[in-house]
Amino acid sequence: MSTSSAPVRMTRQRAAVADALEGTDEFRSAQQLHETLRTRGDAVGLATVYRTLQALVDGGEVDVLRTEDGESLYRRCARREHHHHLVCRRCGRTVEIDGPTVEAWAAMVGAEHGFGEIEHTVELWGTCRDCREA
Amino acid sequence: MSTSSAPVRMTRQRAAVADALEGTDEFRSAQQLHETLRTRGDAVGLATVYRTLQALVDGGEVDVLRTEDGESLYRRCARREHHHHLVCRRCGRTVEIDGPTVEAWAAMVGAEHGFGEIEHTVELWGTCRDCREA
DNA sequence: CAACCGGCTGAGAATCGTTGTCAACTTCAG
DNA sequence: CTGAAGTTGACAACGATTCTCAGCCGGTTG
């Protein structure tokens, strides 16, 4: 038997998207990445950018989070373990942080109220020094 | 001088939306509320539902949060002070919670990295007992 | 090295929640 | 009661994301 998972192919497009993510430590939107690639010369269809990002997210390679106005931002994070982010709402610059106590707290509060399958969203937004001075 | 803010009028539609929110303690989407009102008999245009909800949010009368797939959910909360939520992802049932230490922690982490104007998002999602048993 | 199978791509259409438009309408001060 | 101005609602417009599907190409096989 097999896991019947389709073999994943390495294509120019996938390499390009992955590379664009490697190139920055800021959270970027799919559209920004698409634009970056187009400018850089290795154009990739927008749909493909979205598909690739989704795949990377599913594989835990990339983190996503949503802006206040619903746009998804992607970032290749250093640590694969669960963590949170302090993101500059202006430029996307990001600092990875972990809330050692948050997980436990969330699980406890959930159980306390009879809720199961608890998940939590903890993100910090701010304006980084450079953006404030600009 | 004046704040030049336009006088706010009480209309059937606004009363209806406000009432629909009073009627439940669950987070509901604009579309759900619109449907509820239509079924109940006092139909209100969808655009008006959105406008009214936005106004209530701006006035701090109502809380908003976004689903994982980007939909906005609204709820008339008991306390006006800052707090967080434990929401059933299935039915919207909600428990208000406060993270006494979260605020301080967020501000500290922000300052520590040179970020200003810190805001934080802390929401818990789970499945309530009733929905799990159903 | 060439043929092939099936995953992959991309341009454009389709979704979907939400916001903008604007003529008709309603609230409420005077 | 009247008029000025805030409101409403049907519908168009938007913007991010997903779907379609015919053509393309990675990689394995013979």
Side-chain angles (χ1 to χ4, degrees):
Chain A
M1 69 187 189
S2 77
T3 52
S4 73
S5 63
V8 178
R9 290 187 191 165
M10 184 44 60
T11 63
R12 176 183 68 75
Q13 291 83 342
R14 289 183 181 166
V17 172
D19 188 66
L21 283 168
E22 288 303 327
T24 177
D25 67 341
E26 300 168 5
F27 267 97
R28 316 282 310 284
S29 71
Q31 317 241 13
Q32 286 179 317
L33 290 166
H34 172 254
E35 180 56 24
T36 297
L37 291 172
R38 207 167 60 67
T39 305
R40 172 195 295 189
D42 24 38
V44 173
L46 182 55
T48 300
V49 173
Y50 274 107
R51 275 186 298 240
T52 303
L53 287 172
Q54 194 49 61
L56 290 172
V57 169
D58 291 345
E61 302 271 324
V62 165
D63 280 12
V64 219
L65 55 79
R66 311 195 58 122
T67 308
E68 227 163 285
D69 45 270
E71 196 178 19
S72 291
L73 302 182
Y74 305 83
R75 177 177 190 269
R76 170 79 217 244
C77 285
R79 58 184 93 170
R80 285 183 65 105
E81 315 81 62
H82 176 75
H83 60 276
H84 305 291
H85 306 99
L86 166 56
V87 188
C88 175
R89 62 169 73 79
R90 201 86 65 89
C91 71
R93 183 172 305 182
T94 299
V95 178
E96 294 178 29
I97 52 182
D98 40 28
T101 52
V102 182
E103 337 295 334
W105 171 72
M108 188 195 73
V109 173
E112 203 169 280
H113 293 283
F115 280 59
E117 306 163 274
I118 300 296
E119 275 186 314
H120 61 281
T121 307
V122 176
E123 301 297 348
L124 304 187
W125 296 88
T127 311
C128 74
R129 189 158 8 237
D130 291 359
C131 283
R132 256 178 300 147
E133 291 172 348
Chain B
M1 70 191 193
S2 78
T3 54
S4 73
S5 62
V8 178
R9 291 186 190 166
M10 184 45 60
T11 62
R12 175 185 68 77
Q13 292 84 340
R14 289 185 181 163
V17 172
D19 188 66
L21 282 168
E22 289 303 327
T24 177
D25 66 342
E26 299 170 6
F27 267 97
R28 317 282 309 283
S29 71
Q31 317 240 15
Q32 286 179 317
L33 290 166
H34 172 253
E35 181 56 24
T36 298
L37 291 172
R38 208 168 59 66
T39 306
R40 172 195 293 188
D42 24 38
V44 173
L46 183 55
T48 299
V49 172
Y50 274 108
R51 276 187 298 241
T52 303
L53 287 172
Q54 193 50 61
L56 290 171
V57 169
D58 291 345
E61 302 272 324
V62 166
D63 281 10
V64 219
L65 55 79
R66 310 193 60 119
T67 308
E68 226 163 286
D69 45 270
E71 196 178 17
S72 291
L73 301 182
Y74 305 84
R75 178 177 190 269
R76 171 78 217 243
C77 285
R79 58 184 93 171
R80 285 183 67 106
E81 313 80 61
H82 176 75
H83 59 277
H84 305 292
H85 307 99
L86 166 55
V87 189
C88 175
R89 61 170 71 79
R90 201 85 67 87
C91 71
R93 182 173 307 182
T94 299
V95 178
E96 295 178 29
I97 53 182
D98 41 27
T101 53
V102 182
E103 336 296 334
W105 170 73
M108 190 195 72
V109 172
E112 204 168 280
H113 293 282
F115 280 59
E117 305 163 274
I118 301 295
E119 276 186 315
H120 61 280
T121 308
V122 176
E123 301 297 347
L124 305 186
W125 296 88
T127 310
C128 73
R129 187 154 13 232
D130 291 0
C131 283
R132 256 179 299 147
E133 291 173 349

